[in-house]
Amino acid sequence: MENEKIEIKQASGRPMLTWVGKRPLRYVTVFPAQRIESFKPANDAEKRIGDLWNDWPSAYPKGGLLFHGDNKEVLAHLLANGFRSKVNLIYIDPPFNTGVDYIRKVTPRGMKIEKLEGDGYSFTEQIQYSNNWHIDAYLQFLYERLQLAREMLAEDGIIFIRMDVHFGYYLKMIADEIFGQDNFQNEIVVNRIKKNVTVKGRRTIPNAVDYLYVYFRSLQAEFKNVLRQLPETKPGYWHNMDSPAIPGPRRLTLGGKTYYPSPGAHLKFPQTQAEEMWNKGLIRENPKTGMLEYWVQDKDYVNLDSDWTDIPGYTFKTGYPTENAEKLLERVVQVGSKRGDLVMDFFVGSGTTAALAQRLGRRWIGCDINKGAIQTTSKRLQTIILEQIAAQKRSSRKGELLPGNEKPTPAQLSFAAYRVNDYDLQLQHDEAINLACAHVGITRTKADSFFNGTLGNSLAKIISFNHPLTLMDLDEVRRELEARPEETRDVTVVALGKETAVDAWLDDWNHLRKKGNLPNKINVIELRTDPKYGKFFEHKPAEARVKIHRTARKIIVDIQDFISPTVIERLQRQATIPVPAIDDWRAMVDSVMIDASYDGVVFEVAHSDVPEKKDTLVSGHYELDYPGTETVVAVKITDVLGEEVIVAQKA
Ligand SMILES: C[S@@+](CC[C@H](N)C(=O)[O-])C[C@H]1O[C@@H](n2cnc3c(N)ncnc32)[C@H](O)[C@@H]1O
C-alpha cells in the first residue's frame, strides 16, 4: 500500500489570524450609484474653490460625496469609477461587532438570526456558539473592507482605524496582514466614555480608552503634522528662582529691594537679565513667601505621542450614537493630510470626519449604510458649508483674505449624496440592463455585440425587460452559438420572467448537450422569482399608522403600526433557519425622524431616534415643543432595508 500523502500548504512567512470562513476578497461586484440629493447653495461655488480638482473623475461633481449603501458595494463602485489610489487619508470607526448583520442579511431589531452562507452550523448550534459565530463574521466583515480600503489609498496615503479593547488585537493582526507590518505606525490611545460600574450585579472596571491603529499605505507616506497644541487654560506658571545646579548670583536687587535665595542655593538669573525680566513682569516676589519667582511660559505646542487622552474621544453634539469628538478628528485630519487632500470615512456615522475635512479645507467622501447617518451627516455638512459661505462673504466685504490656519479656504462649497444598490426605481431600459448586470454580478464585455457580458465562467445575455423570455429569444441565442463553433462556455440568460413553452425547449437543449458531451448549456435567471436574485422589480411599499396631535405646549407623535412587505419577504427568502414571527412593528424599523415644520420639500430633522445597536428598538412615542403656530408635522420612518415612509399632518 502506498503511503498516504498529506498536503501541507506552504506557510506564507508571516503570522496571520484565521477564523471560520476566512477568505480573501478576490473580486467584488460593482454596482451603479444614483444621485439622491445635491446641496449647492452658492452659484459660483466651483469658482471659489480654486484648482484642486484636476484628478477628479469627470462623472462626479466637484464637491463632497456622500454615499448611502453598504461600504463594500460603495468602495467597489468607487474603485471602478476612477477613485482607485486617490484617497490620501482614511479614518474609520467601524461598529464594534454590533452591526455584523449589516453584511448582507436583513435582521429585524431585537432578533438574532444571522447565519453565514454555507456554514455548517444548525440553528441550535448557532445559538450555542453565537459569540464565536459573531466574531468570525465580524472579522470577515472587517477583512474585506480593509482590503478595499487599501486599494483606495494613494501610495502615500494613511489609514486610521478605531477599535475598542475587544477587537483591537484582532484588528492589528488583520491590518498587519493587509497593509504590511512594516507600514504599521502607531497604536494611539483615545478616550472613550466610561460606562457603568456594575454588570448584572458584578462590579467591573470600565474601559477608559479605545485604540487608533495607524498604517501607511507605503513608506512613501509621512505624517503631515506631529505637534499638538497645549490647552490654553495652562499658559504657564510661576517657578521659584532658587537654582541649586547652576552657579548664579547670591543676591539680586530688584525694585529697590534685595532678595536672597534659600540657604545653599543660587539665584537663576544674573542682575541685568533679572532687571529686564522684572520690568516685563516676568519676575515677582511671591506674595506668601516673599521669595523671588519667575514666569515659565509653557510652549504652545509639544510633540505628539501615542497618548491622545488629552482630548475627548466621543461627543454627543448631533445626537447620533457613537459620534466621535471633533477635537479627535481635527487632530487626525491634521496629522494625516494636508489642505486639498482627499479624506474618506466609509463608516461615517454622524459625519464627524467629513465635517472636519470640510472645515480644514480638505476634500471628502463619506459612506454609511444607515439612512439616519446619511441624514445626520448631510444636515451637518449643510450647516458648515452655509457658515463657510457666510464667512467668505464677510471677509470679502472687508477686503481681507480668509484668516490663515484656523479657517482654511474650503476645498468645496457643495456636496452630493448618492445611493448605491437601490432597486426601487422606475428605470429606463438601458439603466435597467446596467442595474441588472450589477445586481446579478455580470461583468460587462462591451466588445461583444450579442452577449452583454460574463457571469463567472458563462456568457451572459440579458433579455429586454419589456417582454418575458420567449422561444424567439432562445432561437437567437442558438443561432449566435452556431456562429461561434469555438465557443465552449455555458450561457446564462437573464430575463424578468419566461413563457411556459420555454422550459421544454431548455430541457431538450440541455439534455442533448449533456448526452452528447457538448458545450453551451443554457441556464436562466428569472429576476422576478429567482430565489437568489429574485424580486428585482416588484415592490410593495411600506406603510405606517401614526397619530399626531398637539397639546398647549407639545406636539405628540405616536407610531401605532408599521409594516414593510419587503422586509418580511426578504426574511422569508433568506430563511435557511426558522424565522421568528415579528410581533412588534419596531423590529422592522431602523430609524424615526421628525420634522416639526415640514415644508413638503426638504426634510429638516428636528428629532431623530436612531438606535445603533441592533437589539435596541426605536421608541415610537415622541414629544416635541409646539412652535406656537399651526404647522405640518412630518414623521419619516425608515425600515431596516432603508425604505422610507413619510406621514405628514397638520398640527
Ligand atoms: C461607530 S459608528 C461611526 C461613528 C462616526 N465615526 C461618527 O463620528 O459619528 C459606525 C457606523 O458604521 C455604519 N455601518 C455599519 N456597517 C456598515 C456598512 N456595511 N457599510 C457602511 N456603513 C456601515 C453604522 O451605520 C454606523 O453609523
Side-chain angles (χ1 to χ4, degrees):
M1 201 180 92
E2 251 185 76
N3 281 344
E4 197 187 10
K5 278 194 194 136
I6 297 169
E7 201 191 325
I8 297 173
K9 281 204 183 130
Q10 213 182 336
S12 70
R14 58 175 189 269
M16 276 191 204
L17 186 66
T18 189
W19 56 88
V20 176
K22 179 174 181 179
R23 56 202 176 276
L25 204 57
R26 284 282 148 69
Y27 62 90
V28 276
T29 315
V30 175
F31 290 87
Q34 299 92 35
R35 200 195 294 204
I36 49 172
E37 187 182 300
S38 283
F39 182 72
K40 197 176 178 187
N43 292 335
D44 56 348
E46 285 197 14
K47 225 171 64 205
R48 292 201 223 171
I49 51 175
D51 193 22
L52 290 169
W53 299 83
N54 295 336
D55 61 343
W56 201 247
S58 59
Y60 290 88
K62 294 171 179 161
L65 296 179
L66 185 57
F67 287 88
H68 179 207
D70 185 327
N71 46 20
K72 183 173 169 183
E73 290 166 0
V74 171
L75 291 172
H77 171 86
L78 290 169
L79 287 172
N81 286 281
F83 285 99
R84 187 183 280 265
S85 309
K86 285 275 159 59
V87 178
N88 305 96
L89 169 67
I90 295 177
Y91 175 86
I92 47 167
D93 172 21
F96 299 135
N97 197 19
T98 52
V100 174
D101 44 325
Y102 280 137
I103 300 171
R104 66 174 92 81
K105 293 269 158 89
V106 186
T107 310
R109 284 195 182 275
M111 298 183 191
K112 285 199 176 123
I113 52 167
E114 313 94 54
K115 184 175 161 79
L116 188 69
E117 265 164 28
D119 74 353
Y121 296 145
S122 72
F123 186 47
T124 35
E125 276 170 334
Q126 261 196 70
I127 292 171
Q128 205 173 336
Y129 297 114
S130 66
N131 282 340
N132 290 338
W133 151 245
H134 246 67
I135 292 175
D136 291 327
Y138 185 59
L139 294 177
Q140 181 65 25
F141 171 87
L142 288 177
Y143 188 53
E144 292 180 356
R145 272 108 191 131
L146 290 179
Q147 286 175 77
L148 292 165
R150 183 172 181 273
E151 299 294 313
M152 297 294 302
L153 279 178
E155 211 36 45
D156 60 353
I158 304 177
I159 182 166
F160 285 70
I161 308 152
R162 181 171 185 160
M163 277 282 130
D164 77 355
V165 66
H166 298 99
F167 282 90
Y169 50 105
Y170 290 144
L171 185 278
K172 170 77 169 56
M173 284 206 75
I174 299 178
D176 274 353
E177 179 186 331
I178 293 171
F179 297 101
Q181 208 182 9
D182 292 348
N183 290 316
F184 169 70
Q185 298 300 313
N186 287 103
E187 183 193 65
I188 292 170
V189 286
V190 298
N191 279 314
R192 60 175 289 122
I193 313 291
K194 291 164 214 132
K195 284 230 185 83
N196 61 321
V197 271
T198 51
V199 173
K200 290 183 189 150
R202 273 184 296 124
R203 268 182 293 175
T204 62
I205 299 178
N207 290 311
V209 292
D210 282 345
Y211 303 90
L212 302 184
Y213 291 91
V214 188
Y215 285 82
F216 286 172
R217 168 73 173 79
S218 77
L219 293 179
Q220 283 179 35
E222 58 178 0
F223 290 126
K224 311 297 184 283
N225 170 35
V226 289
L227 296 176
R228 74 179 169 91
Q229 194 164 16
L230 288 164
E232 284 153 33
T233 44
K234 273 177 94 191
Y237 53 92
W238 291 104
H239 193 281
N240 190 292
M241 226 160 95
D242 286 348
S243 171
I246 309 158
R250 286 193 178 275
R251 76 158 89 164
L252 284 173
T253 306
L254 295 168
K257 195 171 162 189
T258 304
Y259 294 92
Y260 300 91
S262 307
H266 299 262
L267 287 160
K268 193 170 166 75
F269 304 105
Q271 179 66 36
T272 28
Q273 191 184 348
E275 269 171 38
E276 264 174 44
M277 290 172 74
W278 177 270
N279 292 335
K280 286 185 188 158
L282 297 173
I283 290 179
R284 69 168 189 184
E285 178 187 307
N286 182 301
K288 283 190 193 142
T289 62
M291 303 283 284
L292 281 181
E293 54 185 18
Y294 68 103
W295 179 249
V296 183
Q297 180 66 51
D298 257 337
K299 281 181 279 170
D300 289 346
Y301 293 91
V302 290
N303 274 324
L304 273 175
D305 57 31
S306 62
D307 178 356
W308 288 15
T309 53
D310 59 308
I311 50 174
Y314 283 117
T315 40
F316 297 101
K317 270 173 74 175
T318 61
Y320 194 80
T322 72
E323 176 189 340
N324 284 220
E326 295 208 345
K327 279 248 177 291
L328 174 63
L329 263 301
E330 178 179 27
R331 186 173 288 174
V332 169
V333 169
Q334 280 173 339
V335 166
S337 69
K338 52 188 193 320
R339 296 231 203 126
D341 274 357
L342 178 56
V343 176
M344 176 171 197
D345 184 342
F346 50 85
F347 290 96
V348 82
S350 65
T352 319
T353 310
L356 268 293
Q358 180 67 36
R359 288 227 178 90
L360 296 170
R362 273 72 165 167
R363 297 177 292 168
W364 56 266
I365 300 177
C367 164
D368 205 286
I369 200 164
N370 188 315
K371 202 164 234 165
I374 296 300
Q375 280 159 343
T376 310
T377 302
S378 164
K379 206 177 156 219
R380 190 169 182 181
L381 268 295
Q382 290 182 24
T383 313
I384 295 173
I385 289 173
L386 290 174
E387 275 166 22
Q388 288 175 324
I389 290 173
Q392 282 196 344
K393 282 204 182 115
R394 274 199 305 277
S395 61
S396 62
R397 257 210 312 273
K398 283 191 233 143
E400 300 162 358
L401 287 171
L402 277 177
N405 277 326
E406 306 85 43
K407 294 223 170 79
T409 317
Q412 62 262 309
L413 290 168
S414 63
F415 68 86
Y418 289 80
R419 181 163 37 209
V420 169
N421 203 356
D422 181 281
Y423 306 129
D424 307 327
L425 296 170
Q426 292 303 315
L427 300 164
Q428 297 296 314
H429 177 69
D430 273 359
E431 272 183 321
I433 297 229
N434 284 336
L435 214 55
C437 280
H439 179 62
V440 174
I442 292 168
T443 313
R444 299 297 297 265
T445 30
K446 296 249 162 68
D448 193 321
S449 58
F450 185 81
F451 291 103
N452 304 78
T454 53
L455 178 66
N457 287 329
S458 72
L459 290 163
K461 174 72 185 168
I462 301 203
I463 303 300
S464 169
F465 293 131
N466 53 24
H467 68 269
L469 178 66
T470 62
L471 289 179
M472 264 160 63
D473 295 315
L474 288 173
D475 230 34
E476 259 190 26
V477 175
R478 180 183 57 79
R479 273 201 304 275
E480 186 66 29
L481 288 169
E482 278 169 8
R484 306 183 186 199
E486 311 281 283
E487 184 56 70
T488 55
R489 284 173 285 184
D490 289 346
V491 173
T492 303
V493 173
V494 180
L496 263 192
K498 61 186 177 196
E499 284 183 348
T500 7
V502 157
D503 283 333
W505 190 100
L506 282 170
D507 281 351
D508 274 359
W509 173 273
N510 287 333
H511 185 68
L512 283 172
R513 305 277 109 190
K514 204 172 162 194
K515 219 167 100 189
N517 210 10
L518 298 167
N520 307 144
K521 283 199 270 311
I522 299 178
N523 164 46
V524 175
I525 293 177
E526 271 183 288
L527 287 177
R528 267 197 207 286
T529 53
D530 189 281
K532 190 158 163 208
Y533 306 107
K535 302 286 152 52
F536 186 61
F537 291 103
E538 230 176 44
H539 177 64
K540 289 191 211 109
E543 288 172 45
R545 206 168 68 234
V546 183
K547 202 171 138 213
I548 300 170
H549 69 281
R550 146 172 102 67
T551 62
R553 288 157 167 250
K554 296 275 175 204
I555 291 171
I556 298 171
V557 172
D558 272 306
I559 303 175
Q560 297 175 322
D561 203 2
F562 177 85
I563 180 138
S564 165
T566 322
V567 170
I568 292 170
E569 207 174 84
R570 281 269 185 113
L571 277 171
Q572 279 158 358
R573 197 153 23 100
Q574 73 187 27
T576 43
I577 48 173
V579 185
I582 299 180
D583 46 17
D584 186 337
W585 61 266
R586 296 180 300 169
M588 280 182 274
V589 172
D590 202 43
S591 67
V592 176
M593 309 253 166
I594 300 172
D595 182 344
S597 49
Y598 184 50
D599 66 359
V601 189
V602 182
F603 198 94
E604 289 281 338
V605 185
H607 181 86
S608 68
D609 184 4
V610 194
E612 204 212 10
K613 289 208 168 155
K614 280 310 215 180
D615 51 4
T616 316
L617 301 176
V618 296
S619 139
H621 174 86
Y622 310 94
E623 295 187 11
L624 286 88
D625 287 338
Y626 173 56
T629 48
E630 194 181 71
T631 172
V632 175
V633 177
V635 182
K636 182 163 19 181
I637 306 171
T638 308
D639 71 21
V640 289
L641 279 170
E643 183 176 346
E644 289 174 352
V645 175
I646 296 185
V647 178
Q649 203 179 295
K650 278 197 187 132

